[in-house]
Amino acid sequence: MGKSATRSNSAAGPINSEYDRIRTRGRPEQSWGTQETMWPLSRATQSATASTRVGALAQPKRNFQTGVHLNRPLWQYSCGRTSALSLVDANAMQGAASDRVQQLAVAKTYPQHLPNRYEFMYSCGRVSPIWDVSACSPAAPSEPRPRTVDLSVHKRPHPLFQPERSVPWEVSTSAKTHRPSGRTQDLSTPKLRAEGLFREPQWPVPETALNAVASPRCTELARAKSLADGFQHAREIQWPVSKAARRATASGRLNDLATPIQRVNMNVLQFNPDAFQVKPLALKAQLSSRVAELATPINR
């Protein structure tokens, strides 16, 4: 026991040391494309035994494409399910179908299910309710109810409804022999106008229009709208000066305001230090404490 344990420890020593060395370095030295593991396996992993469930999951799936099923397109028209088109077993070929299976295997014999039938044109794929009723059917000689008869009658038009008249219609005899009145003939006579876009500026006025007298109401409506009280028309830009304004004499105040200010030339004022005179009262004035406080400069 001692020798075997020593041998196992000595044999496992290089593996553990190599594992510790790689783990401490943080990155294994491995070349891609080999069958070796990226990280060395520990002793616990090497001596571990898989459970029954892990062994069952590790079994690969069975390959059914063998023999006659090799490379057969099972999934082409089966929507992911296993194709039902396969070789039938010999035992199945010798089997006998039951009465129920034979009944289900019988095809329908309804003639209305035939393709390209005109009943399917406006039925959205449903079975058409139109079919021939046999004379021997118990429902064939039955009479409809009064309510069914009322519902089957089409909608009647309005009592005052008149159908549309054709474009060419016959003229009545009375219309053909009728003679228009004088007023109708006057209205039907076209106006006689000279050629051109505008009519003549003068046209004859009948004598009755010349001798007509307007009524008081027409006279009132023909009166122009009067101006408001106090209305003044716009004054013209130029208007004559009245004689009183030309003979007026200006007062002394107007003469003082009209007198222009006489100022000395600026070239002379630049060399005159006493250009402005200070009033005697201003020279004798005393500053108040507030003014002296405001006049004191701020020390910054």
Side-chain angles (χ1 to χ4, degrees), residues 31-102:
S31 59
W32 297 98
T34 61
Q35 298 296 330
E36 298 179 1
T37 59
M38 181 178 294
W39 303 94
L41 303 178
S42 60
R43 289 183 299 173
T45 305
Q46 294 178 2
S47 60
T49 303
S51 61
T52 307
R53 177 60 177 165
V54 174
L57 295 175
Q59 293 295 331
K61 292 184 178 181
R62 180 183 175 185
N63 185 13
F64 293 93
Q65 293 191 3
T66 57
V68 295
H69 300 285
L70 184 63
N71 297 328
R72 192 164 64 91
L74 300 176
W75 309 91
Q76 187 171 0
Y77 304 104
S78 60
C79 301
R81 299 187 297 269
T82 306
S83 176
L85 302 177
S86 58
L87 298 179
V88 183
D89 189 60
N91 297 328
M93 295 291 292
Q94 298 176 1
S98 60
D99 297 339
R100 177 59 178 167
V101 173
Q102 292 180 0

Side-chain angles (χ1 to χ4, degrees), residues 228-246:
D229 298 339
F231 174 79
Q232 295 182 2
H233 293 277
R235 194 173 183 180
E236 298 180 358
I237 299 176
Q238 296 181 358
W239 60 88
V241 181
S242 61
K243 187 182 296 185
R246 287 181 290 180

Side-chain angles (χ1 to χ4, degrees), residues 40 59 84 93 95 105 108-109 117 128 131 144 181 186 192 198-199 215 222 227 235 245 247 264 266 269 286 297:
Q59 293 295 331
M93 295 291 292
K108 293 183 179 180
T109 58
R117 198 167 65 91
S128 176
W131 63 85
S181 61
D186 294 341
L192 299 177
F198 306 98
R199 65 181 179 180
S215 62
L227 301 176
R235 194 173 183 180
R247 295 180 179 179
V264 185
M266 293 300 296
L269 289 177
Q286 299 292 332

Side-chain angles (χ1 to χ4, degrees), residues 259-276:
T259 303
I261 300 175
Q262 299 292 336
R263 294 185 175 91
V264 185
N265 192 3
M266 293 300 296
N267 296 331
V268 179
L269 289 177
Q270 290 179 357
F271 301 99
N272 186 8
D274 299 331
F276 301 95

Side-chain angles (χ1 to χ4, degrees), residues 12-290:
I15 296 177
N16 294 337
S17 60
E18 181 68 17
Y19 177 77
D20 296 337
R21 181 180 63 82
I22 295 176
R23 185 179 59 180
T24 54
R25 292 180 60 183
R27 187 180 63 181
E29 296 180 0
Q30 183 72 347
S31 59
W32 297 98
T34 61
Q35 298 296 330
E36 298 179 1
T37 59
M38 181 178 294
W39 303 94
L41 303 178
S42 60
R43 289 183 299 173
T45 305
Q46 294 178 2
S47 60
T49 303
S51 61
T52 307
R53 177 60 177 165
V54 174
L57 295 175
Q59 293 295 331
K61 292 184 178 181
R62 180 183 175 185
N63 185 13
F64 293 93
Q65 293 191 3
T66 57
V68 295
H69 300 285
L70 184 63
N71 297 328
R72 192 164 64 91
L74 300 176
W75 309 91
Q76 187 171 0
Y77 304 104
S78 60
C79 301
R81 299 187 297 269
T82 306
S83 176
L85 302 177
S86 58
L87 298 179
V88 183
D89 189 60
N91 297 328
M93 295 291 292
Q94 298 176 1
S98 60
D99 297 339
R100 177 59 178 167
V101 173
Q102 292 180 0
Q103 181 182 0
L104 295 175
V106 175
K108 293 183 179 180
T109 58
Y110 300 142
Q112 58 264 30
H113 287 182
L114 296 177
N116 301 326
R117 198 167 65 91
Y118 67 93
E119 285 85 356
F120 282 87
M121 186 178 302
Y122 304 104
S123 61
C124 302
R126 298 189 298 268
V127 179
S128 176
I130 303 175
W131 63 85
D132 297 334
V133 181
S134 59
C136 60
S137 175
S142 61
E143 296 294 335
R145 300 177 302 168
R147 177 59 178 168
T148 306
V149 176
D150 295 341
L151 294 176
S152 62
V153 175
H154 60 83
K155 188 177 180 180
R156 299 179 178 87
H158 194 269
L160 301 180
F161 172 76
Q162 295 182 0
E164 59 181 3
R165 188 170 57 176
S166 59
V167 177
W169 61 85
E170 298 181 359
V171 183
S172 61
T173 308
S174 59
K176 294 179 180 179
T177 58
H178 178 72
R179 293 191 176 186
S181 61
R183 177 59 178 169
T184 305
Q185 292 181 358
D186 294 341
L187 294 175
S188 62
T189 303
K191 294 182 179 180
L192 299 177
R193 294 177 180 175
E195 296 181 359
L197 300 177
F198 306 98
R199 65 181 179 180
E200 297 294 335
Q202 296 180 0
W203 59 89
V205 181
E207 187 176 358
T208 55
L210 295 174
N211 300 329
V213 178
S215 62
R217 180 58 179 168
C218 292
T219 305
E220 183 181 358
L221 294 175
R223 188 181 301 110
K225 187 177 180 181
S226 61
L227 301 176
D229 298 339
F231 174 79
Q232 295 182 2
H233 293 277
R235 194 173 183 180
E236 298 180 358
I237 299 176
Q238 296 181 358
W239 60 88
V241 181
S242 61
K243 187 182 296 185
R246 287 181 290 180
R247 295 180 179 179
T249 303
S251 60
R253 178 59 180 166
L254 291 177
N255 291 329
D256 294 342
L257 294 175
T259 303
I261 300 175
Q262 299 292 336
R263 294 185 175 91
V264 185
N265 192 3
M266 293 300 296
N267 296 331
V268 179
L269 289 177
Q270 290 179 357
F271 301 99
N272 186 8
D274 299 331
F276 301 95
Q277 297 180 359
V278 183
K279 295 181 180 180
L281 296 178
L283 294 174
K284 298 178 181 180
Q286 299 292 332
L287 295 177
S288 62
S289 57
R290 178 59 179 166

